[in-house]
C-alpha cells in the first residue's frame, strides 16, 4: 500500500465488506479478458463469503476456468472540500481481498449459505425462506469464496476538527 498512513487492519477491512451494499468480484474469463461485477455477498466467518446466481453464464464459466478472484468494496464514499486546506478530496473506507471461488454442491451448505444471504439482505422476509428454497434450490448456483490471504483496508476520514485520522486513529 502506497500510503501506509491510511492502512487499516484486516478486521476493520472485514467490517467494510459486511457494511457494503455490494462487493465487486473481479475474475478472468477463459480468453484472458478481465471480468468484474458487483454482487451481493455475505460473509459467514473470517475467510468465507457466499453469493448465489444462475447455474450458467459468463460468471460461472470464468470461475470454472480461473477460480482466483479479487473482492473489493467501498463504503462511506463522499466527495468534499478538505476542511483545513480547501483541497478537492474524497472521504472513503475501502477493503480488498484475494480468494478462491468454488461451486457449492453439498445441499446443506447451499441452504446454509442461502439462509445467510437472506438473513443479511432480507431479514424481514425469512418466513418465506423455506418455500423459496424448496422451489428454486436445484436451479440456483451457490459459490463459496475462501480468502487466500488476509484482507486489506484503507480509509481517508476526517475527525470533527477537520484533521485526517491517520495510522488507524479512531475518534
Amino acid at each position: 500500500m502506497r500510503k501506509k498512513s491510511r492502512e487499516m487492519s484486516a478486521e476493520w477491512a472485514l467490517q467494510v465488506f459486511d457494511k457494503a451494499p455490494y462487493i465487486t468480484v473481479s475474475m478472468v474469463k477463459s480468453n484472458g479478458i478481465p471480468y468484474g461485477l458487483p454482487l451481493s455477498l455475505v460473509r459467514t466467518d473470517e475467510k468465507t463469503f457466499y453469493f448465489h446466481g444462475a447455474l450458467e453464464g459468463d460468471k460461472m464459466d470464468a470461475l470454472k476456468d480461473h477460480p482466483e478472484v479479487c473482492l473489493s468494496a467501498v463504503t462511506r464514499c463522499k466527495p468534499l472540500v478538505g476542511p483545513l486546506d480547501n483541497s478537492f478530496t474524497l472521504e472513503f473506507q475501502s477493503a480488498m481481498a484475494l480468494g478462491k471461488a468454488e461451486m457449492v454442491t453439498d445441499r446443506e451448505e447451499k441452504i446454509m449459505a442461502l439462509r445467510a444471504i437472506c438473513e443479511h439482505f432480507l431479514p424481514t422476509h425469512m418466513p418465506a425462506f423455506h418455500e423459496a428454497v424448496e422451489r428454486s434450490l436445484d436451479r440456483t448456483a451457490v459459490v463459496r469464496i475462501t480468502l487466500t490471504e488476509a484482507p486489506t483496508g484503507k480509509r481517508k476520514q476526517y475527525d470533527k476538527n477537520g484533521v485526517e485520522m491517520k495510522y488507524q486513529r479512531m475518534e
Side-chain angles (χ1 to χ4, degrees):
M1 182 172 305
R2 184 176 69 84
K3 288 200 170 188
K4 289 287 189 187
S5 64
R6 294 189 178 147
E7 185 175 17
M8 300 298 286
S9 69
E11 294 79 19
W12 185 92
L14 288 172
Q15 292 175 12
V16 170
F17 282 127
D18 293 342
K19 293 174 186 172
Y22 60 87
I23 298 170
T24 299
V25 180
S26 299
M27 56 197 89
V28 178
K29 291 174 134 182
S30 60
N31 59 6
I33 294 177
Y35 184 62
L37 61 164
L39 297 172
S40 300
L41 273 71
V42 67
R43 181 173 68 91
T44 57
D45 62 35
E46 271 61 43
K47 290 185 158 199
T48 311
F49 290 79
Y50 290 95
F51 70 87
H52 77 293
L55 291 169
E56 53 189 38
D58 285 345
K59 175 175 52 210
M60 296 307 169
D61 291 343
L63 293 175
K64 284 178 197 165
D65 293 333
H66 300 285
E68 299 81 13
V69 297
C70 179
L71 308 179
S72 62
V74 179
T75 62
R76 296 188 60 181
C77 188
K78 175 175 77 172
L80 57 92
V81 175
L84 299 179
D85 63 3
N86 290 325
S87 63
F88 294 97
T89 191
L90 184 71
E91 248 185 355
F92 64 88
Q93 296 181 349
S94 66
M96 196 272 310
L98 300 175
K100 182 176 181 184
E102 298 175 87
M103 291 286 292
V104 175
T105 56
D106 177 75
R107 180 179 174 82
E108 294 307 312
E109 184 180 1
K110 277 180 80 169
I111 293 170
M112 179 279 303
L114 291 169
R115 182 182 319 290
I117 292 167
C118 287
E119 286 173 344
H120 184 75
F121 292 102
L122 292 168
T124 61
H125 288 75
M126 290 310 294
F129 176 78
H130 180 72
E131 182 182 324
V133 165
E134 289 301 317
R135 186 177 59 249
S136 61
L137 185 64
D138 293 334
R139 58 189 170 143
T140 302
V142 173
V143 176
R144 175 189 337 102
I145 296 174
T146 305
L147 299 187
T148 54
E149 56 187 67
T152 59
K154 183 177 178 180
R155 106 184 144 178
K156 183 172 187 183
Q157 188 174 338
Y158 295 93
D159 66 17
K160 61 184 177 199
N161 297 317
V163 175
E164 185 178 349
M165 297 189 302
K166 296 184 177 187
Y167 300 103
Q168 300 192 28
R169 180 171 71 87
M170 303 304 277
E171 271 191 314

